[in-house]
Amino acid sequence: MTDTSFTRRNLLRAAAPLGAAIATGLPARLAAAPRLGAVASVEIAPAPRFALSPYLYMQFMEPLGTTDGSVEASWDHLAQRWRPDLLEVTRQLAPPMLRWGGLLSAYYRWREGVGPRAGRKPMHNLNWGGVETNQIGTDEFLDFCAAVGAEPLMCVNFASEGDPKWAVDALGERRAGDAREAADWVRYCNAPHHPERSANGHPAPRPIRYWQIGNETSFSPARFKKPEAIARTIEFARAMRAADPGIKLIAWGDSGWAADMIAQAGDLVDMLAFHHLFDPGPACNDGTWQRDRAAAWDALMGSVAKQEAKILEIRAQSGATPLALTESHYLMKGRNRGDLNSTWATGVAYARFQNLHQRHGDVLKIANLGDFCGTRWQTNVVMLPTPKGDAYMLPVGRVAALYARHSGTKAVALAGLPDGLDAVASRDGNRFFVHAVNTRLDRAIDCRFTIAGATPRAARLVRISATDPFAEIRSRTEDPMTQEEKICAPGEAISFPAASVTVLELGL
């Protein structure tokens, strides 16, 4: 994997100023929108603006208990292996990073999930309900990451976030993990020689570079208040760095905590985490969007402003400190049905979020859109049909796969974008990539591209669209989305159909 050694000092040197330039990624000479039916002239400025992290398309795995048979449904308990169809789809998704944890981390004891499977103790899933078998633990998760080429990110048990109901459950079991337990986890994975890991069949280290301390710690009055959370973060960070000084630590910085966390713990942590989970509005509720699709479309397209506001809020508090948006997705009414989330319309909206994340890529280094996999959870990226059927990607997964496979390493600017086309650009050597979203439901948008005023070589186009953007994907075979590829001649006008997401690869 590419080494992304993000430091506050490097980001302070390279950070772009806040304001309209960050929000749009466009230079001041942005041309006026063309009239209806005209072909817009869009220019790519080749000068790199900032480096882009490969982890802007991170996926997030958490056992969700009775809410969604996510991890348990991913595992073939009879064959003692990951479901082959899930592995196949995840390789197509190509996530650069997979995160383990979430709310579960507040009562997850990692040692219960290692060692011989017959001796592993099941755990009560205190937040999501039900019982987890712990047949999937650290080593199985790392096996999965290796099989799909993803960097692992672990979220540690941060003393149960200070919440008493998680620290000791109703059966009297102590579920809170301390700094020593977190440091022991780092050693188990990263130490060159570790007897316990060797006894479990892994004599060589299985290094995890990225570790998160605290998950939504500020989101409940029952959890740690800010002063204690910062003190505990310092305690955990020191213990974990003593186990491996080379790890990258992510501290919780949401809800106005960022500035104080940086001031007091900044020398010990590398990044700040925040989350953004929100409802795009009543027009997207079950039963409502079916009656008024135009209103639902407007709500989905307009919701990118809420995501932008959240990112700008955290940026204003954190300065140039690298940021990790480790959970982000819609929370619509009727969340377990997942009907609107199964439509291409929501995929188009999430593509706008992906573009937004790139625009803030000077400080945003890890970003997420959705929970990785499950049987019914509305925010899933991959759906696992049960009891039968093959795994398949929901629209957000299709967009993430498209972008992750066709993206540059440095952001560049675009000028002359027409109204209705949300686009960003990047480059990798002499290859340029344009991620374009037609936010209009009613018409195509046509553009002709130049690079620094010169006509590029023939362009490769990869596009996802749907005849009916509000048709739901119901299985791997019942898929309303269409993906097409073509080669466009030098100087050819590119048409972006209504409600489509397109990647262009152009060469100097």
Side-chain angles (χ1 to χ4, degrees), residues 1 31 105 161 205 328 394 426 466 484 507:
M1 299 297 295
S105 300
E161 308 285 336
S328 175
L394 287 172
S426 60
E484 59 179 313

Side-chain angles (χ1 to χ4, degrees), residues 110 114 139 184-190 194 196-197 200:
W110 70 268
V114 299
D139 289 310
D184 286 346
W185 203 359
V186 175
R187 290 189 188 92
Y188 179 87
C189 298
N190 295 13
H194 196 280
E196 186 179 358
R197 186 187 66 224
N200 293 335

Side-chain angles (χ1 to χ4, degrees), residues 272-289:
L272 290 183
F274 68 107
H275 291 175
H276 193 215
L277 320 173
F278 69 98
D279 187 343
C284 297
N285 290 352
D286 285 355
T288 304
W289 68 265

Side-chain angles (χ1 to χ4, degrees), residues 109-331:
R109 311 300 297 272
W110 70 268
R111 276 199 169 92
E112 294 175 352
V114 299
R117 289 199 178 88
R120 294 188 189 181
K121 176 186 175 182
M123 63 168 284
H124 294 276
N125 198 325
L126 301 181
N127 184 73
W128 302 108
V131 173
E132 304 293 335
T133 66
N134 272 325
Q135 294 299 290
I136 296 176
T138 301
D139 289 310
E140 289 75 24
F141 176 69
L142 293 176
D143 288 342
F144 188 86
C145 289
V148 301
E151 176 109 23
L153 163 60
M154 281 292 190
C155 192
V156 303
N157 186 327
F158 185 48
S160 288
E161 308 285 336
D163 195 325
K165 72 175 182 295
W166 288 336
V168 180
D169 67 18
L171 299 177
E173 296 178 320
R174 300 187 63 83
R175 304 304 305 176
D178 58 16
R180 179 178 178 178
E181 183 171 308
D184 286 346
W185 203 359
V186 175
R187 290 189 188 92
Y188 179 87
C189 298
N190 295 13
H193 306 285
H194 196 280
E196 186 179 358
R197 186 187 66 224
S198 296
N200 293 335
H202 299 283
R206 318 194 76 192
I208 299 177
R209 292 192 300 162
Y210 290 85
W211 298 81
Q212 183 172 334
I213 303 171
N215 175 78
E216 299 183 355
T217 317
S218 62
F219 282 9
S220 168
R223 300 171 201 168
F224 288 136
K225 303 300 185 290
K226 180 172 63 174
E228 185 171 2
I230 294 174
R232 292 277 190 150
T233 298
I234 293 170
E235 176 192 6
F236 271 65
R238 285 175 175 163
M240 295 169 73
R241 286 204 182 281
D244 183 352
I247 59 177
K248 303 293 183 183
L249 292 179
I250 305 169
W252 184 249
D254 210 331
S255 308
W257 287 18
D260 288 335
M261 184 66 76
I262 294 167
Q264 298 178 52
D267 291 339
L268 291 167
V269 300
D270 300 281
M271 308 175 75
L272 290 183
F274 68 107
H275 291 175
H276 193 215
L277 320 173
F278 69 98
D279 187 343
C284 297
N285 290 352
D286 285 355
T288 304
W289 68 265
Q290 291 95 334
R291 294 191 298 271
D292 192 344
R293 293 183 170 189
W297 179 263
D298 290 343
L300 291 172
M301 293 303 103
S303 65
V304 71
K306 296 181 180 180
Q307 182 90 329
E308 175 96 47
K310 179 69 175 186
I311 295 173
L312 288 172
E313 172 194 337
I314 301 297
R315 287 191 66 131
Q317 298 167 9
S318 59
T321 299
L323 298 177
L325 180 55
T326 51
E327 290 185 41
S328 175
H329 52 72
Y330 287 138
L331 286 179

Side-chain angles (χ1 to χ4, degrees), residues 4 27 43 52 69 111 113 129 134 175 214 219 245 254-255 285 314 337 369 382 386-387 394 414 495-496:
T4 52
E43 183 177 340
L52 291 170
R111 276 199 169 92
N134 272 325
R175 304 304 305 176
F219 282 9
D254 210 331
S255 308
N285 290 352
I314 301 297
R337 277 197 60 204
L369 284 174
V382 173
T386 56
L394 287 172
L414 291 171
S495 183
F496 300 92

Side-chain angles (χ1 to χ4, degrees), residues 352-414:
R352 297 201 70 190
F353 291 167
Q354 302 270 30
N355 285 359
L356 178 65
H357 295 168
Q358 178 171 315
R359 291 189 182 101
H360 290 273
D362 57 321
V363 294
L364 187 61
K365 299 304 176 182
I366 295 175
N368 164 259
L369 284 174
D371 288 341
F372 171 52
C373 66
T375 58
R376 64 174 181 170
W377 188 244
Q378 190 193 62
T379 59
N380 282 330
V381 173
V382 173
M383 195 63 74
L384 292 166
T386 56
K388 296 179 181 179
D390 292 327
Y392 61 92
M393 277 185 271
L394 287 172
V396 61
R398 293 287 292 275
V399 170
L402 178 67
Y403 278 19
R405 291 183 178 279
H406 306 278
S407 187
T409 58
K410 294 178 174 63
V412 297
L414 291 171

Side-chain angles (χ1 to χ4, degrees), residues 26 30-38 40 42 352 416-423 437-440 442-447 496:
L26 301 177
L30 175 63
R35 66 186 184 277
L36 188 68
V42 180
R352 297 201 70 190
L417 285 174
D419 182 51
L421 192 69
D422 179 343
V437 182
N438 185 344
T439 66
R440 292 185 176 275
D442 58 345
R443 69 175 179 89
I445 298 173
D446 298 330
C447 300
F496 300 92

